[in-house]
Amino acid sequence: MNASPTDPLVLFMPSGKRGRFPVGTPVLDAARQLGVYIESVCGGRATCGRCQIEVQEGNFAKHKIVSSNDHISPRGAKEERYDRVRGLPESRRLSCSSMILGDLVIDVPQDTVVNAQVVRKSASDRVIERDPAIQLCYVEVDEPDMHKPLGDLDRLKVMLGKDWGFDNLLVSQHLIPEVQKILRKGKWGVTAAIHRDLEASRPNIIALWPGLHNEAYGIACDIGSTTIAMHLVSLLSGRIVASSGTSNPQIRFGEDLMSRVSYVMMNPDGREAMTKAVRDAISDLIVKVCAEGGVDPDNILDAVFVGNPIMHHLFLGIDPTELGQAPFALAVSGAVHTWARDIGIKMNYGARIYMLPCIAGHVGADAAGATLSEGPYRQDRMMLLVDVGTNAEIVLGNRQRVLAASSPTGPAFEGAEISSGQRAAPGAIERIRIDPETLEPRYKVIGTEQWSDEPGFDDESWKTGVTGICGSAIIEVVAEMYLSGIISEDGVIDGSLATRSPRIIQNGRTWSYLLREGRQGEPRITVTQNDIRAIQLAKAALYAGVKLLMEKQGVETVDTIRFAGAFGSFIDPKYAMVLGLIPDCDLSEVKAVGNAAGTGALMALLNRNHRREIEAEVRRIEKIETALEPHFQQLFIDAMALPNKVDPFPKLSAAVKLPPRKTVSADGVAGDSTPRRRGREGHAARRARE
Ligand code: FES
């Protein structure tokens, strides 16, 4: 069917793809020729209803198109029948059954009921074009004929080839004994789920249903060391049907990753126990999201997982011992394709599993997911992507070159190792401000609307109590203590301020800041010198890792920063920068992106091309092992200061008034204050030392 320059012009929205087609071309065919994805399960029989479109009427001067319902064939018998049986809104047409008669602007609806081609993720307003690895295909198979002794399964394959273009099909073994029953139950009409992930590999029939089957779902799951987060998604519409999370039950074997590796090393059944625990938790979470979304788990046909290297290995049943010591060898770094049944995850018996590749021994499939989601390699500008957890994963790069590393930040940012630290939960202080004149704090507590100095705070906060400081507030309190002059740039609490404020209290040779006295039954909340040290160590580890990558890239600044992970969602970029957790950058360019690893999993679930994209990118990413870099130690020492001993923070200084530099000896005795040296001078000092 060759189009001529006078043939009708058809524009598809929202993709904006356009082309000319001879009068009489079915709209679905035109869409396919242009690469516009319109779902079809029934193969154009007007029975699945997945191919719905809308004609936009009007004069689209910009496109030189006058579009009208008169330019498409009227509803025919097939559409009328579909409308009678299933209902078809007046504005909608089945694209398989409507022909082009004139110029048209066609809207491919993005609603969630049918045929949504995109999924919008509220956190990032992301659009993911769909091209999942699973395709549902309905066919009507010839009945058996004594004169043509081709088997039932073989005739099914013939029809899948004829109607859908599949040849050389594999069939999942568990279906072979079922084929005859299913064909007869469906009166020779069946729907096959075909897995066709890699172009180079043979497509595979993984599930079969009698008659027309119109449901296919997938799971996108991020296995975190603390939390497992899951989306249940319709593969036919891209709609997120339900999202949920659960704590990782492996916590009972060890809070952090290394203690879990140690558990495996010390206990003969340790690996099996942890693998079982995480798989069971995932299966339970599937039951939960299915109940929430009203979905039969048997309709889940594909699942994509991400996780840090140790979670990745334990989930796949691999001993992670090698990841606990240099050279941090991964058993498998490439993407893993496997079957859900082989790893004991309860969904359709033929369901597939895809796990994103790991970047390095300390930079896992979760970092690959975040990289796919945020796409530093798609940028012209230099993007820094950090995922802060007990191990910070750092990716820095642009279109030309991407580097990745991890840095051992420890659990301080999550509230562990901090005297009054706790996880973010009702009762935890989440925001803090300190008056630089009076050194009095005001704070906000999770579960209470008012700030502590506002009327009603006392009554409201009784409900939860005020129990500790969570991760985001730990960043703020240390930054505010610095901005108000309570601590020096070296992080030492200035004991001389005790004469000015009763909140500066002595503990032996060091000092603490009293944040809250605590009512009856509540703890006294202080920030000790040790707490500040723990935060300095954590932030210095992260910054030194970032700085190392910047030096390898040959850049002095980054253009944009993305904070992935739950922690990043709650910290204020300004305070993160005051602390020197991240390098100097325009504050408006620092963005929290939530669970970017999970978003990456979702992308790989909904579009198999994203799998190829991240597989290729991971091969290209240069891995830097911070522990092996001799220079790392010096960068770490420089980064202990607030914001940094040598690096200038000109953009931060323009946005926030940083205090003059003052020295305080380790036991809290203040020395002289000097104006802040910035910029070239700091750089020069560093260069001289190098
Ligand atoms: Fe199934 Fe049009 S393709 S109704």
Side-chain angles (χ1 to χ4, degrees), residues 28 39-51 94-97:
L28 181 61
E39 187 69 53
S40 151
V41 174
C42 70
R45 289 179 177 78
T47 53
C48 73
R50 288 280 166 193
C51 66
L94 298 180
S95 63
C96 62
S97 309

Side-chain angles (χ1 to χ4, degrees), residues 439 485-486 493-501 504 511 662-664 667-671:
L439 307 187
I486 296 172
I493 299 177
D494 180 356
S496 69
L497 294 175
T499 55
R500 258 177 68 196
S501 166
I504 310 296
W511 299 81
K662 72 171 169 183
T663 54
V664 178
D667 53 2
V669 180

Side-chain angles (χ1 to χ4, degrees), residues 107 193 217 219 285 465 515:
D107 189 33
Y217 293 89
I219 291 287
L285 199 52
L515 192 55

Side-chain angles (χ1 to χ4, degrees), residues 27-293:
V27 176
L28 181 61
D29 288 4
R32 290 210 169 131
Q33 285 180 41
L34 291 174
V36 174
Y37 194 95
I38 295 184
E39 187 69 53
S40 151
V41 174
C42 70
R45 289 179 177 78
T47 53
C48 73
R50 288 280 166 193
C51 66
Q52 293 181 29
I53 47 106
E54 279 183 13
V55 173
Q56 293 200 10
E57 289 202 282
N59 184 355
F60 298 83
K62 190 172 130 212
H63 301 291
K64 298 196 177 68
I65 296 177
V66 176
S67 173
S68 149
N69 270 313
D70 295 338
H71 296 176
I72 195 164
S73 61
R75 276 189 180 194
K78 281 177 167 181
E79 283 177 289
E80 293 297 353
R81 184 194 59 196
Y82 181 85
D83 186 24
R84 271 198 311 281
V85 180
R86 309 272 298 271
L88 186 65
E90 207 166 320
S91 60
R92 294 285 173 93
R93 300 296 306 272
L94 298 180
S95 63
C96 62
S97 309
S98 18
M99 318 302 163
I100 297 165
L101 302 180
D103 290 355
L104 284 167
V105 175
I106 299 283
D107 189 33
V108 182
Q110 294 177 48
D111 62 40
T112 53
V113 183
V114 281
N115 200 18
Q117 183 177 356
V118 293
V119 54
R120 280 186 189 281
K121 186 146 187 306
S122 54
S124 55
D125 209 18
R126 177 181 309 278
V127 173
I128 305 172
E129 273 192 48
R130 277 191 330 104
D131 184 4
I134 303 290
Q135 187 178 356
L136 291 189
C137 303
Y138 173 81
V139 283
E140 285 167 4
V141 178
D142 292 342
E143 293 193 26
D145 179 343
M146 275 197 294
H147 304 291
K148 294 185 203 150
L150 208 55
D152 287 350
L153 176 62
D154 305 82
R155 293 197 316 285
L156 166 63
K157 285 185 180 178
V158 167
M159 288 317 290
L160 284 166
K162 207 164 137 203
D163 288 2
W164 295 91
F166 287 111
D167 59 1
N168 214 10
L169 274 163
L170 290 168
V171 183
S172 196
Q173 202 282 330
H174 74 283
L175 295 173
I176 295 173
E178 305 295 320
V179 166
Q180 293 199 306
K181 218 168 37 194
I182 296 170
L183 278 170
R184 280 155 186 81
K185 195 169 170 199
K187 299 195 171 53
W188 307 99
V190 288
T191 305
I194 297 183
H195 177 254
R196 29 119 222 189
D197 188 0
L198 296 160
E199 294 305 338
S201 66
R202 290 168 66 184
N204 195 337
I205 306 176
I206 60 163
L208 272 179
W209 295 267
L212 180 69
H213 187 86
N214 232 343
E215 287 189 79
Y217 293 89
I219 291 287
C221 183
D222 174 23
I223 312 170
S225 5
T226 315
T227 311
I228 303 170
M230 183 180 284
H231 296 300
L232 172 64
V233 190
S234 163
L235 295 176
L236 297 180
S237 72
R239 179 170 67 109
I240 298 178
V241 179
S243 300
S244 195
T246 187
S247 27
N248 188 332
Q250 291 177 345
I251 287 175
R252 68 172 183 267
F253 301 100
E255 271 273 340
D256 60 73
L257 289 169
M258 279 310 142
S259 53
R260 289 184 213 170
V261 175
S262 307
Y263 187 86
V264 171
M265 292 162 81
M266 314 288 280
N267 295 278
D269 301 328
R271 204 278 302 148
E272 283 83 349
M274 274 198 271
T275 296
K276 182 173 178 334
V278 72
R279 289 178 179 176
D280 286 353
I282 288 166
S283 287
D284 290 349
L285 199 52
I286 290 174
V287 171
K288 191 174 164 201
V289 288
C290 282
E292 227 171 85

Side-chain angles (χ1 to χ4, degrees), residues 474-677:
I474 288 164
I475 302 289
E476 286 193 11
V477 74
V478 177
E480 281 279 319
M481 285 171 77
Y482 169 63
L483 291 174
S484 57
I486 296 172
I487 57 175
S488 66
E489 66 165 0
D490 291 321
V492 181
I493 299 177
D494 180 356
S496 69
L497 294 175
T499 55
R500 258 177 68 196
S501 166
R503 292 190 176 271
I504 310 296
I505 50 178
Q506 192 156 20
N507 308 101
R509 292 200 57 213
T510 60
W511 299 81
S512 298
Y513 177 68
L514 175 65
L515 192 55
R516 180 180 162 86
E517 191 58 76
R519 296 167 294 201
Q520 205 179 11
E522 285 181 346
R524 191 176 201 226
I525 299 174
T526 57
V527 181
T528 67
Q529 188 62 64
N530 279 346
D531 295 341
I532 292 170
R533 279 283 172 265
I535 290 297
Q536 281 179 286
L537 289 168
K539 76 101 180 174
L542 174 58
Y543 188 88
V546 171
K547 199 66 210 298
L548 191 65
L549 294 195
M550 287 170 70
E551 291 191 350
K552 298 264 175 204
Q553 281 279 17
V555 296
E556 298 248 329
T557 55
V558 300
D559 299 317
T560 185
I561 299 177
R562 296 285 180 275
F563 256 122
F567 177 77
S569 302
F570 297 107
I571 54 176
D572 183 328
K574 179 179 90 178
Y575 288 109
M577 211 175 283
V578 168
L579 203 63
L581 189 75
I582 46 176
D584 192 51
C585 181
D586 194 335
L587 281 171
S588 64
E589 286 289 349
V590 185
K591 295 199 172 71
V593 289
N595 184 0
T599 305
L602 190 61
M603 290 169 71
L605 176 69
L606 285 175
N607 191 322
R608 59 202 171 124
N609 298 316
H610 286 314
R611 302 181 183 188
R612 305 296 88 78
E613 178 184 333
I614 194 59
E615 287 161 13
E617 197 50 42
V618 163
R619 283 193 289 273
R620 211 171 68 93
I621 292 176
E622 294 169 50
K623 295 88 186 171
I624 308 295
E625 185 51 65
T626 51
L628 301 179
E629 293 288 336
H631 189 40
F632 182 79
Q633 198 55 28
Q634 187 57 52
L635 293 172
F636 180 83
I637 292 166
D638 292 342
M640 282 293 283
L642 278 77
N644 193 283
K645 201 77 178 169
V646 294
D647 285 346
F649 279 68
K651 290 189 173 127
L652 175 68
S653 305
V656 179
K657 188 170 179 297
L658 296 178
R661 282 196 161 143
K662 72 171 169 183
T663 54
V664 178
S665 67
D667 53 2
V669 180
D672 290 340
S673 293
T674 54
R676 168 160 293 276
R677 289 178 310 158

